[in-house]
Amino acid sequence: MRATPRTSAETLVRRLPIFRMAVFVAMAIGTAVAALAPAPVAAACTPGKTGRIAFMLKQQTAFRYLHADVPFFQKTVEAAGYKVIFQSAENDPNTQVSQAENVITKGVDAIVIQPVDFNVAGTIAKMAAKANIPVASYDDVILNAKHAAFIGRDPKEGGIAAARAVVAAVPKGNYALIGGDPGQTGSTKMQEGYRQVLEPLVKKGDVKIVLDQFTPKWKTEPAQAHAENALTKNSNKVNAFLVSYDGMSLGVLQAVHGAGLKPGSIPITGQDMELSAAQAIVEGKMFGTLWPAPDEMAIRAGKVAVALAKCEEPKTEDVVNNGAGKIPWAKTPIYLVTAKDMPSFVCSHQFWLNPDEVYKNVPAKKPSCK
Protein backbone atom coordinates (compact mmCIF):
# COMPACT_ATOMS: atom_id res chain seq x y z
CA MET A 1 0.00 0.00 0.00
CA ARG A 2 1.28 3.49 -0.95
CA ALA A 3 1.98 5.79 1.96
CA THR A 4 -0.52 8.60 2.34
CA PRO A 5 1.16 11.83 1.04
CA ARG A 6 1.64 14.55 3.58
CA THR A 7 -0.41 17.71 3.16
CA SER A 8 1.38 20.87 2.03
CA ALA A 9 0.91 22.31 5.51
CA GLU A 10 2.61 19.32 7.15
CA THR A 11 5.49 19.52 4.71
CA LEU A 12 5.92 23.25 5.36
CA VAL A 13 6.05 22.65 9.12
CA ARG A 14 8.75 19.96 8.77
CA ARG A 15 10.80 22.20 6.47
CA LEU A 16 10.23 25.50 8.31
CA PRO A 17 13.79 25.86 9.69
CA ILE A 18 15.21 25.33 6.19
CA PHE A 19 12.61 27.69 4.73
CA ARG A 20 13.43 30.43 7.22
CA MET A 21 17.15 30.12 6.46
CA ALA A 22 16.47 30.37 2.72
CA VAL A 23 14.38 33.51 3.16
CA PHE A 24 17.05 35.07 5.36
CA VAL A 25 19.77 34.39 2.78
CA ALA A 26 17.61 35.71 -0.04
CA MET A 27 16.86 38.90 1.87
CA ALA A 28 20.54 39.41 2.63
CA ILE A 29 21.55 38.93 -0.98
CA GLY A 30 18.71 41.23 -2.14
CA THR A 31 19.78 43.96 0.26
CA ALA A 32 23.37 43.76 -0.93
CA VAL A 33 22.36 43.89 -4.58
CA ALA A 34 20.02 46.84 -3.93
CA ALA A 35 22.82 48.72 -2.21
CA LEU A 36 25.10 48.25 -5.20
CA ALA A 37 22.47 48.93 -7.86
CA PRO A 38 21.82 52.51 -9.05
CA ALA A 39 18.66 54.26 -7.80
CA PRO A 40 15.65 53.75 -10.10
CA VAL A 41 15.19 56.53 -12.64
CA ALA A 42 11.73 58.02 -13.29
CA ALA A 43 10.39 57.33 -16.76
CA ALA A 44 11.46 60.05 -19.16
CA CYS A 45 8.80 62.28 -20.66
CA THR A 46 8.14 61.58 -24.32
CA PRO A 47 7.04 64.58 -26.40
CA GLY A 48 3.72 64.10 -28.13
CA LYS A 49 3.61 63.45 -31.85
CA THR A 50 0.03 64.31 -32.79
CA GLY A 51 0.62 68.04 -33.20
CA ARG A 52 -2.68 68.69 -31.38
CA ILE A 53 -3.48 70.39 -28.08
CA ALA A 54 -6.97 70.23 -26.53
CA PHE A 55 -8.55 73.30 -24.96
CA MET A 56 -11.58 72.16 -22.98
CA LEU A 57 -13.78 75.00 -21.74
CA LYS A 58 -16.85 75.11 -19.50
CA GLN A 59 -18.61 76.91 -22.33
CA GLN A 60 -17.83 79.16 -25.28
CA THR A 61 -20.94 81.32 -25.59
CA ALA A 62 -20.12 83.97 -22.98
CA PHE A 63 -18.50 87.16 -24.23
CA ARG A 64 -15.12 86.47 -22.61
CA TYR A 65 -14.66 83.14 -24.41
CA LEU A 66 -15.44 84.56 -27.82
CA HIS A 67 -13.21 87.61 -27.41
CA ALA A 68 -10.34 86.47 -25.19
CA ASP A 69 -9.93 82.85 -24.08
CA VAL A 70 -10.44 81.22 -27.47
CA PRO A 71 -8.66 83.66 -29.82
CA PHE A 72 -5.65 84.35 -27.58
CA PHE A 73 -5.08 80.68 -26.77
CA GLN A 74 -5.46 79.70 -30.40
CA LYS A 75 -3.04 82.36 -31.62
CA THR A 76 -0.41 81.35 -29.04
CA VAL A 77 -0.62 77.62 -29.72
CA GLU A 78 -0.78 77.89 -33.50
CA ALA A 79 2.25 80.20 -33.49
CA ALA A 80 4.16 77.29 -31.95
CA GLY A 81 3.05 74.95 -34.74
CA TYR A 82 0.21 73.10 -33.00
CA LYS A 83 -3.46 72.71 -33.88
CA VAL A 84 -6.08 73.44 -31.20
CA ILE A 85 -8.91 71.01 -30.55
CA PHE A 86 -11.70 73.04 -28.88
CA GLN A 87 -14.35 71.50 -26.65
CA SER A 88 -17.27 73.26 -24.95
CA ALA A 89 -19.12 71.40 -22.17
CA GLU A 90 -21.92 73.99 -21.83
CA ASN A 91 -21.54 73.85 -18.04
CA ASP A 92 -22.29 70.11 -17.83
CA PRO A 93 -19.63 68.10 -15.93
CA ASN A 94 -20.76 64.78 -17.43
CA THR A 95 -20.51 66.20 -20.93
CA GLN A 96 -16.98 67.36 -20.14
CA VAL A 97 -15.96 63.87 -19.01
CA SER A 98 -17.38 62.37 -22.23
CA GLN A 99 -15.56 64.96 -24.32
CA ALA A 100 -12.32 64.20 -22.48
CA GLU A 101 -12.69 60.47 -23.13
CA ASN A 102 -13.08 61.22 -26.82
CA VAL A 103 -10.08 63.59 -26.90
CA ILE A 104 -7.86 61.11 -25.06
CA THR A 105 -8.92 58.24 -27.34
CA LYS A 106 -8.15 60.23 -30.50
CA GLY A 107 -4.89 61.47 -29.03
CA VAL A 108 -3.45 64.89 -28.24
CA ASP A 109 -0.09 66.09 -26.95
CA ALA A 110 -1.50 68.09 -24.00
CA ILE A 111 -4.84 69.04 -22.48
CA VAL A 112 -5.79 72.39 -20.94
CA ILE A 113 -9.12 72.14 -19.14
CA GLN A 114 -11.37 74.67 -17.46
CA PRO A 115 -13.30 72.33 -15.17
CA VAL A 116 -17.07 72.56 -14.97
CA ASP A 117 -16.78 70.85 -11.59
CA PHE A 118 -13.41 70.81 -9.84
CA ASN A 119 -14.06 67.40 -8.25
CA VAL A 120 -15.46 65.64 -11.31
CA ALA A 121 -12.58 66.95 -13.42
CA GLY A 122 -10.22 64.91 -11.25
CA THR A 123 -11.49 61.88 -13.18
CA ILE A 124 -10.31 63.51 -16.41
CA ALA A 125 -6.85 64.21 -14.99
CA LYS A 126 -6.52 60.57 -13.93
CA MET A 127 -7.68 59.28 -17.33
CA ALA A 128 -5.17 61.49 -19.09
CA ALA A 129 -2.37 60.38 -16.76
CA LYS A 130 -3.01 56.74 -17.72
CA ALA A 131 -2.70 57.76 -21.37
CA ASN A 132 0.52 59.72 -20.61
CA ILE A 133 -1.05 63.00 -21.72
CA PRO A 134 -0.08 66.01 -19.56
CA VAL A 135 -2.97 68.07 -18.17
CA ALA A 136 -3.12 71.67 -16.97
CA SER A 137 -6.19 73.10 -15.26
CA TYR A 138 -7.29 76.54 -16.42
CA ASP A 139 -9.08 79.35 -14.60
CA ASP A 140 -10.28 76.90 -11.92
CA VAL A 141 -7.96 74.34 -10.36
CA ILE A 142 -8.82 70.62 -10.50
CA LEU A 143 -9.04 69.17 -6.99
CA ASN A 144 -7.73 65.91 -5.53
CA ALA A 145 -5.88 64.76 -8.64
CA LYS A 146 -2.27 65.26 -9.64
CA HIS A 147 -1.68 67.22 -12.84
CA ALA A 148 1.08 69.22 -14.45
CA ALA A 149 0.07 72.85 -13.85
CA PHE A 150 -2.64 75.38 -13.05
CA ILE A 151 -3.06 78.60 -15.03
CA GLY A 152 -5.26 81.31 -13.58
CA ARG A 153 -5.86 84.22 -11.27
CA ASP A 154 -6.44 84.02 -7.56
CA PRO A 155 -10.22 84.51 -7.19
CA LYS A 156 -9.78 85.07 -3.47
CA GLU A 157 -7.65 88.13 -4.22
CA GLY A 158 -10.43 89.36 -6.50
CA GLY A 159 -13.01 88.90 -3.76
CA ILE A 160 -10.81 90.81 -1.34
CA ALA A 161 -10.33 93.67 -3.81
CA ALA A 162 -14.07 93.98 -4.51
CA ALA A 163 -15.04 93.80 -0.84
CA ARG A 164 -12.44 96.35 0.26
CA ALA A 165 -13.56 98.84 -2.38
CA VAL A 166 -17.23 98.49 -1.47
CA VAL A 167 -16.51 98.68 2.27
CA ALA A 168 -14.61 101.92 1.67
CA ALA A 169 -17.79 103.29 0.09
CA VAL A 170 -20.24 101.61 2.50
CA PRO A 171 -18.45 100.88 5.81
CA LYS A 172 -21.63 99.85 7.63
CA GLY A 173 -24.87 98.07 6.78
CA ASN A 174 -26.40 94.90 5.40
CA TYR A 175 -24.33 92.98 2.84
CA ALA A 176 -25.54 90.32 0.41
CA LEU A 177 -23.05 87.85 -1.09
CA ILE A 178 -24.06 86.11 -4.31
CA GLY A 179 -21.46 83.62 -5.51
CA GLY A 180 -21.30 81.55 -8.67
CA ASP A 181 -21.37 77.79 -9.07
CA PRO A 182 -20.51 76.00 -5.80
CA GLY A 183 -18.56 73.32 -7.70
CA GLN A 184 -15.90 75.75 -8.91
CA THR A 185 -13.04 77.30 -6.96
CA GLY A 186 -13.46 80.47 -9.01
CA SER A 187 -16.65 80.93 -7.03
CA THR A 188 -15.84 79.43 -3.64
CA LYS A 189 -12.49 81.21 -3.33
CA MET A 190 -13.97 84.57 -4.29
CA GLN A 191 -16.59 84.09 -1.60
CA GLU A 192 -13.74 83.42 0.86
CA GLY A 193 -12.22 86.75 -0.16
CA TYR A 194 -15.47 88.58 0.55
CA ARG A 195 -15.72 87.00 3.98
CA GLN A 196 -12.10 87.70 4.88
CA VAL A 197 -12.77 91.42 4.53
CA LEU A 198 -16.25 91.42 6.07
CA GLU A 199 -15.92 89.09 9.05
CA PRO A 200 -13.92 91.53 11.23
CA LEU A 201 -16.63 94.13 10.55
CA VAL A 202 -19.32 91.59 11.36
CA LYS A 203 -17.66 90.96 14.73
CA LYS A 204 -17.57 94.70 15.40
CA GLY A 205 -21.26 94.95 14.58
CA ASP A 206 -20.71 97.32 11.66
CA VAL A 207 -21.75 94.84 8.98
CA LYS A 208 -24.40 92.14 8.84
CA ILE A 209 -24.32 89.49 6.12
CA VAL A 210 -27.99 89.01 5.27
CA LEU A 211 -27.43 86.69 2.29
CA ASP A 212 -24.63 84.25 1.45
CA GLN A 213 -25.65 82.10 -1.52
CA PHE A 214 -24.07 80.30 -4.45
CA THR A 215 -25.70 80.17 -7.88
CA PRO A 216 -25.46 76.91 -9.87
CA LYS A 217 -24.19 77.42 -13.42
CA TRP A 218 -23.80 81.18 -12.80
CA LYS A 219 -27.36 81.83 -14.03
CA THR A 220 -29.00 85.26 -14.08
CA GLU A 221 -32.48 84.19 -12.92
CA PRO A 222 -31.46 82.45 -9.67
CA ALA A 223 -29.19 85.39 -8.81
CA GLN A 224 -32.12 87.75 -9.32
CA ALA A 225 -34.26 85.53 -7.06
CA HIS A 226 -31.53 85.61 -4.37
CA ALA A 227 -31.45 89.41 -4.52
CA GLU A 228 -35.25 89.71 -4.44
CA ASN A 229 -35.39 87.48 -1.37
CA ALA A 230 -32.71 89.51 0.39
CA LEU A 231 -34.50 92.77 -0.35
CA THR A 232 -37.90 91.42 0.71
CA LYS A 233 -36.67 89.89 3.98
CA ASN A 234 -34.84 93.08 4.93
CA SER A 235 -37.50 95.61 3.87
CA ASN A 236 -35.24 96.75 0.98
CA LYS A 237 -32.49 97.64 3.45
CA VAL A 238 -29.58 95.93 1.70
CA ASN A 239 -26.61 98.27 1.49
CA ALA A 240 -24.33 96.31 -0.85
CA PHE A 241 -24.33 93.31 -3.19
CA LEU A 242 -21.04 91.46 -3.78
CA VAL A 243 -21.71 89.39 -6.90
CA SER A 244 -19.29 87.03 -8.64
CA TYR A 245 -20.31 87.36 -12.32
CA ASP A 246 -21.69 90.14 -14.51
CA GLY A 247 -24.53 87.99 -15.84
CA MET A 248 -25.72 87.51 -12.27
CA SER A 249 -25.18 91.21 -11.52
CA LEU A 250 -27.73 92.04 -14.21
CA GLY A 251 -30.26 89.92 -12.34
CA VAL A 252 -29.46 91.84 -9.17
CA LEU A 253 -29.92 95.14 -11.02
CA GLN A 254 -33.35 93.93 -12.14
CA ALA A 255 -34.22 93.00 -8.56
CA VAL A 256 -33.22 96.47 -7.34
CA HIS A 257 -35.28 98.08 -10.09
CA GLY A 258 -38.24 95.81 -9.30
CA ALA A 259 -38.09 96.87 -5.65
CA GLY A 260 -38.57 100.48 -6.73
CA LEU A 261 -35.07 101.52 -5.63
CA LYS A 262 -32.98 104.08 -7.50
CA PRO A 263 -30.39 102.50 -9.82
CA GLY A 264 -26.95 102.97 -8.31
CA SER A 265 -28.29 103.51 -4.79
CA ILE A 266 -26.88 100.11 -3.79
CA PRO A 267 -23.30 99.20 -4.80
CA ILE A 268 -23.26 96.06 -6.95
CA THR A 269 -20.10 94.31 -8.14
CA GLY A 270 -19.55 91.68 -10.80
CA GLN A 271 -16.83 89.89 -12.73
CA ASP A 272 -15.74 89.51 -16.38
CA MET A 273 -16.31 93.02 -17.82
CA GLU A 274 -19.16 92.12 -20.14
CA LEU A 275 -20.55 94.98 -22.23
CA SER A 276 -23.81 95.28 -20.29
CA ALA A 277 -21.88 95.55 -17.02
CA ALA A 278 -19.45 98.11 -18.43
CA GLN A 279 -22.41 100.20 -19.61
CA ALA A 280 -24.08 99.92 -16.20
CA ILE A 281 -20.86 101.05 -14.52
CA VAL A 282 -20.36 104.19 -16.64
CA GLU A 283 -24.06 105.01 -16.28
CA GLY A 284 -23.76 104.86 -12.49
CA LYS A 285 -26.00 101.83 -12.03
CA MET A 286 -23.28 99.38 -11.00
CA PHE A 287 -20.28 99.89 -8.71
CA GLY A 288 -17.63 97.95 -10.60
CA THR A 289 -16.54 94.60 -12.00
CA LEU A 290 -13.52 92.37 -11.57
CA TRP A 291 -11.34 91.94 -14.61
CA PRO A 292 -9.78 88.45 -14.55
CA ALA A 293 -7.59 89.26 -17.58
CA PRO A 294 -8.69 86.28 -19.71
CA ASP A 295 -6.46 87.51 -22.53
CA GLU A 296 -3.33 87.19 -20.37
CA MET A 297 -4.64 83.93 -18.91
CA ALA A 298 -5.18 82.40 -22.36
CA ILE A 299 -1.72 83.42 -23.57
CA ARG A 300 -0.11 81.90 -20.47
CA ALA A 301 -2.18 78.75 -20.92
CA GLY A 302 -1.05 78.44 -24.53
CA LYS A 303 2.59 78.74 -23.50
CA VAL A 304 2.17 76.20 -20.70
CA ALA A 305 0.42 73.75 -23.04
CA VAL A 306 3.16 73.98 -25.66
CA ALA A 307 5.84 73.47 -23.02
CA LEU A 308 4.06 70.38 -21.68
CA ALA A 309 3.59 68.98 -25.18
CA LYS A 310 7.35 69.32 -25.70
CA CYS A 311 8.21 67.85 -22.28
CA GLU A 312 9.59 71.18 -21.16
CA GLU A 313 9.00 72.68 -17.72
CA PRO A 314 6.55 75.59 -18.01
CA LYS A 315 7.23 78.91 -16.31
CA THR A 316 5.28 79.28 -13.06
CA GLU A 317 5.29 81.73 -10.14
CA ASP A 318 3.72 79.82 -7.27
CA VAL A 319 2.11 76.54 -6.21
CA VAL A 320 -1.43 75.68 -5.16
CA ASN A 321 -2.30 72.70 -2.97
CA ASN A 322 -5.25 70.94 -4.60
CA GLY A 323 -5.57 68.10 -2.08
CA ALA A 324 -3.36 65.73 -4.05
CA GLY A 325 -0.19 67.78 -3.72
CA LYS A 326 1.37 71.06 -4.75
CA ILE A 327 0.49 72.01 -8.32
CA PRO A 328 2.78 74.51 -10.15
CA TRP A 329 0.82 77.74 -10.65
CA ALA A 330 1.19 80.12 -13.60
CA LYS A 331 -0.43 83.07 -11.87
CA THR A 332 -2.37 85.72 -13.80
CA PRO A 333 -3.85 89.04 -12.57
CA ILE A 334 -7.32 90.03 -11.38
CA TYR A 335 -8.37 93.56 -10.43
CA LEU A 336 -11.44 95.74 -9.92
CA VAL A 337 -12.52 98.28 -12.53
CA THR A 338 -14.89 101.07 -11.42
CA ALA A 339 -16.26 104.11 -13.28
CA LYS A 340 -13.10 106.13 -12.66
CA ASP A 341 -10.95 103.29 -14.07
CA MET A 342 -13.12 102.64 -17.11
CA PRO A 343 -11.66 105.27 -19.48
CA SER A 344 -8.14 103.86 -19.28
CA PHE A 345 -9.49 100.30 -19.42
CA VAL A 346 -11.54 100.72 -22.60
CA CYS A 347 -8.73 102.57 -24.34
CA SER A 348 -6.23 99.79 -23.60
CA HIS A 349 -8.67 96.90 -24.23
CA GLN A 350 -10.38 97.84 -27.49
CA PHE A 351 -10.13 94.21 -28.63
CA TRP A 352 -12.57 93.55 -25.80
CA LEU A 353 -14.93 96.52 -25.75
CA ASN A 354 -15.71 99.31 -28.18
CA PRO A 355 -15.64 102.66 -26.32
CA ASP A 356 -18.54 103.90 -28.47
CA GLU A 357 -20.69 101.00 -27.28
CA VAL A 358 -19.66 101.28 -23.65
CA TYR A 359 -20.52 104.99 -23.50
CA LYS A 360 -23.48 104.78 -25.92
CA ASN A 361 -25.96 106.17 -23.38
CA VAL A 362 -23.54 108.66 -21.82
CA PRO A 363 -21.47 109.89 -24.81
CA ALA A 364 -20.26 112.98 -22.94
CA LYS A 365 -18.25 110.72 -20.64
CA LYS A 366 -16.52 108.84 -23.45
CA PRO A 367 -12.72 109.16 -23.33
CA SER A 368 -10.62 110.18 -26.28
CA CYS A 369 -8.43 107.15 -26.92
CA LYS A 370 -5.17 107.85 -28.72
Side-chain angles (χ1 to χ4, degrees):
M1 180 181 288
R2 293 174 57 187
T4 303
R6 294 186 178 90
T7 64
S8 58
E10 291 174 324
T11 303
L12 179 60
V13 169
R14 289 174 62 87
R15 295 179 181 176
L16 192 55
I18 299 173
F19 175 74
R20 283 176 175 165
M21 181 59 72
V23 171
F24 175 79
V25 172
M27 289 175 64
I29 293 172
T31 301
V33 170
L36 294 172
V41 179
C45 176
T46 303
K49 296 181 180 179
T50 70
R52 298 191 295 267
I53 289 173
F55 193 28
M56 305 187 64
L57 294 167
K58 291 187 297 188
Q59 56 136 312
Q60 290 184 25
T61 54
F63 186 88
R64 63 165 283 187
Y65 298 107
L66 297 173
H67 292 79
D69 300 87
V70 169
F72 281 92
F73 184 88
Q74 184 170 16
K75 182 178 180 180
T76 303
V77 170
E78 290 183 349
Y82 290 84
K83 179 182 178 181
V84 182
I85 306 299
F86 289 104
Q87 296 290 334
S88 175
E90 299 308 318
N91 290 310
D92 186 328
N94 295 322
T95 296
Q96 193 164 60
V97 172
S98 297
Q99 290 174 339
E101 289 173 342
N102 186 49
V103 163
I104 291 168
T105 299
K106 290 183 177 179
V108 289
D109 297 341
I111 296 173
V112 175
I113 178 169
Q114 181 191 36
V116 174
D117 185 291
F118 47 51
N119 288 306
V120 176
T123 301
I124 297 173
K126 292 171 184 175
M127 287 192 302
K130 289 181 180 178
N132 295 317
I133 299 173
V135 171
S137 50
Y138 176 79
D139 194 33
D140 203 7
V141 66
I142 295 171
L143 296 185
N144 302 314
K146 293 181 179 179
H147 54 291
F150 166 55
I151 309 103
R153 76 280 188 263
D154 185 344
K156 185 174 180 179
E157 288 183 359
I160 289 171
R164 282 178 176 168
V166 173
V167 164
V170 185
K172 295 183 180 182
N174 292 336
Y175 273 64
L177 316 184
I178 303 180
D181 196 290
Q184 297 170 18
T185 53
S187 175
T188 59
K189 291 295 181 181
M190 186 167 290
Q191 210 85 337
E192 285 180 19
Y194 297 153
R195 295 191 199 101
Q196 181 173 313
V197 174
L198 296 179
E199 282 173 0
L201 301 175
V202 171
K203 289 179 180 179
K204 286 176 60 179
D206 291 344
V207 166
K208 181 180 180 181
I209 297 176
V210 296
L211 176 74
D212 190 350
Q213 289 283 345
F214 290 105
T215 310
K217 299 186 178 181
W218 309 80
K219 294 290 188 178
T220 300
E221 293 78 10
Q224 180 175 343
H226 290 327
E228 288 171 347
N229 289 337
L231 290 165
T232 299
K233 289 180 179 179
N234 293 279
S235 302
N236 287 349
K237 293 180 181 178
V238 176
N239 302 97
F241 283 98
L242 295 174
V243 189
S244 298
Y245 167 56
D246 289 345
M248 300 191 313
S249 303
L250 295 180
V252 176
L253 283 168
Q254 291 170 15
V256 170
H257 176 74
L261 299 171
K262 180 182 176 182
S265 60
I266 305 174
I268 301 169
T269 66
Q271 180 184 209
D272 276 1
M273 190 61 77
E274 294 189 354
L275 175 60
S276 54
Q279 291 173 332
I281 291 168
V282 300
E283 292 166 18
K285 299 175 183 177
M286 189 167 154
F287 182 84
T289 189
L290 288 164
W291 173 244
D295 52 335
E296 296 181 54
M297 195 185 303
I299 291 170
R300 286 298 302 276
K303 291 179 178 179
V304 168
V306 169
L308 294 177
K310 293 181 177 180
C311 287
E312 298 172 354
E313 186 175 349
K315 179 184 176 184
T316 56
E317 291 77 29
D318 206 341
V319 294
V320 57
N321 193 326
N322 76 336
K326 294 180 178 179
I327 308 299
W329 185 358
K331 203 169 184 180
T332 60
I334 181 169
Y335 52 91
L336 185 71
V337 178
T338 62
K340 67 180 179 61
D341 310 307
M342 192 65 73
S344 61
F345 180 88
V346 295
C347 287
S348 59
H349 293 77
Q350 294 192 54
F351 72 89
W352 182 261
L353 293 177
N354 183 326
D356 290 336
E357 293 179 351
V358 172
Y359 290 89
K360 180 177 67 173
N361 298 322
V362 283
K365 293 182 179 180
K366 189 180 76 170
S368 177
C369 299
K370 297 180 180 180

